[in-house]
């Protein structure tokens, strides 16, 4: 029988939608109808398991799943023997210490002998130990932000993204202790056949990510401006230059990175570029 890789994905929550989107962008089809907890792909050697995110590192470590998508926060907190294969760039958040808004924050020393509520006791205790702070950690599994207002703790350590949950619970963020994003994790003991499937999947993921981070650019320029424009454009190897029907003009094509996008556009205009078109890239194989 053909070998398949078992991929664990969060059933529903903050990671689910982007995880499914990434799999789809990798061209992998499967049916994840409501309530379905297991599904086979019909065009890639993979089987999907839909699980609670906290259980994913454990399943991957035990070999029940071969690979999985989880937040780094959960992977580090659960401390299971798994390998982090690749950062996926979504579900970005931070783990922060927060105190009631009315408290004047004077520094980490303030947490000495205080009671801190969190769902991340391992990450928090490692951090406090490194910083030489002795505090009591009160572990709770959810709705952590409520703890100070009901007298359960002096402070909290929880996930923050926009900060709006902290704000609506009368809290303020005072220290970031960990930054997280979704990661692909794998078992430390993959068979050679499964490793090969993982490599194929990774190749596709990297092509999808590269496409998102880059844009295809087309522009027109008078031929005398071409050397200056080529200096500005990076290109995958070097820009493509093709003559226009109009004598003395060319069309130049290249690929530019999202991060340097506006600076490059400005430089191109200064160098004499006209009619600049920027289009998204579907997949990019470097
Ligand atoms: N507000 C947020 N913004 C961005 N990423 C977040 C946010 N909250 C959580 N995450 C990331 O998404 C992961 C899953 O969050 P979610 O809230 O869905 O977990 P959960 O409630 O424990 O889900 P489950 O029911 O699967 O156990 C977190 O571990 C974290 O990495
Ligand atoms: O800074 P913010 O943008 O407000 O995001 C932070 C909140 O998001 C997460 O909870 P979520 O909304 O996923 O609910 P949950 O606690 O039920 O998982 C997290 O546990 C925080 O409470
Ligand atoms: Mg969970």
């Amino acid at each position: 029988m053909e070998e398949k890789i078992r991929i664990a994905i969060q059933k529903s929550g903050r990671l689910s939608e982007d995880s499914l989107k990434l799999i789809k962008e990798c061209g992998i089809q499967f049916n994840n109808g409501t309530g379905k907890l297991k599904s086979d792909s019909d065009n890639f050697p993979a089987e999907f398991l839909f699980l609670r995110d906290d259980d994913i590192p454990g399943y991957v470590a035990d070999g029940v799943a071969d690979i999985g998508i989880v937040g780094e926060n959960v992977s580090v907190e659960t401390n299971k023997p798994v390998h982090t294969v690749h950062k996926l760039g979504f579900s970005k958040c931070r783990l922060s210490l927060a105190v009631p808004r009315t408290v004047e924050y004077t520094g980490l020393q303030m947490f000495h002998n205080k009671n801190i509520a969190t769902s991340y006791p391992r990450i928090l205790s490692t951090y406090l130990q490194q910083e030489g702070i002795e505090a009591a950690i009160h572990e709770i599994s959810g709705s952590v932000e409520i703890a100070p207002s009901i007298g359960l703790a002096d402070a909290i350590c929880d996930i923050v993204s926009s900060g709006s949950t902290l704000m609506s619970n009368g809290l303020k963020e005072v220290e970031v202790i960990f930054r997280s994003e979704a990661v692909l994790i794998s078992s430390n003991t993959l068979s050679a056949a499964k490793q090969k499937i993982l490599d194929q999947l990774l190749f596709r993921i990297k092509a999808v990510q590269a496409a998102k981070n880059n844009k295809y650019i087309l522009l027109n320029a008078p031929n005398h401006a071409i050397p200056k424009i080529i200096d500005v454009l990076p290109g995958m190897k070097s820009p493509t230059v093709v003559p226009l029907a109009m004598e003395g003009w060319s069309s130049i094509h290249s690929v530019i990175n999202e991060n340097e996008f506006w600076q490059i556009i400005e430089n191109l205009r200064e160098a004499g570029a006209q009619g600049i078109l920027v289009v998204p890239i579907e997949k990019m194989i470097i």
Side-chain angles (χ1 to χ4, degrees), residues 45-76:
E47 183 179 40
F48 293 87
L49 308 181
F50 302 99
L51 306 166
R52 290 282 310 272
D53 70 336
D54 314 64
D55 297 333
I56 291 177
Y59 280 133
V60 171
D62 295 344
V64 173
D66 299 306
I67 59 175
I69 297 179
V70 280
E72 271 173 300
N73 52 326
V74 165
S75 184
V76 172

Side-chain angles (χ1 to χ4, degrees), residues 118-187:
T118 189
S119 308
Y120 297 90
R122 183 185 296 271
I123 297 178
L124 177 58
S125 69
T126 306
Y127 174 82
L128 292 176
Q129 214 164 21
Q130 273 167 7
E131 299 294 331
I133 308 287
E134 276 194 38
I137 297 178
H138 189 97
E139 184 178 352
I140 48 180
S141 62
S143 301
V144 175
E145 291 93 345
I146 204 176
S149 68
I150 57 171
L152 195 66
D154 305 296
I156 67 152
C157 174
D158 198 20
I159 288 171
V160 183
S161 173
S162 65
S164 72
T165 309
L166 289 183
M167 184 129 58
S168 18
N169 287 284
L171 300 170
K172 63 178 176 188
E173 184 178 12
V174 292
E175 299 284 345
V176 176
I177 74 163
F178 187 85
R179 292 192 186 271
S180 179
E181 67 184 87
V183 287
L184 184 68
I185 56 169
S186 85
S187 150

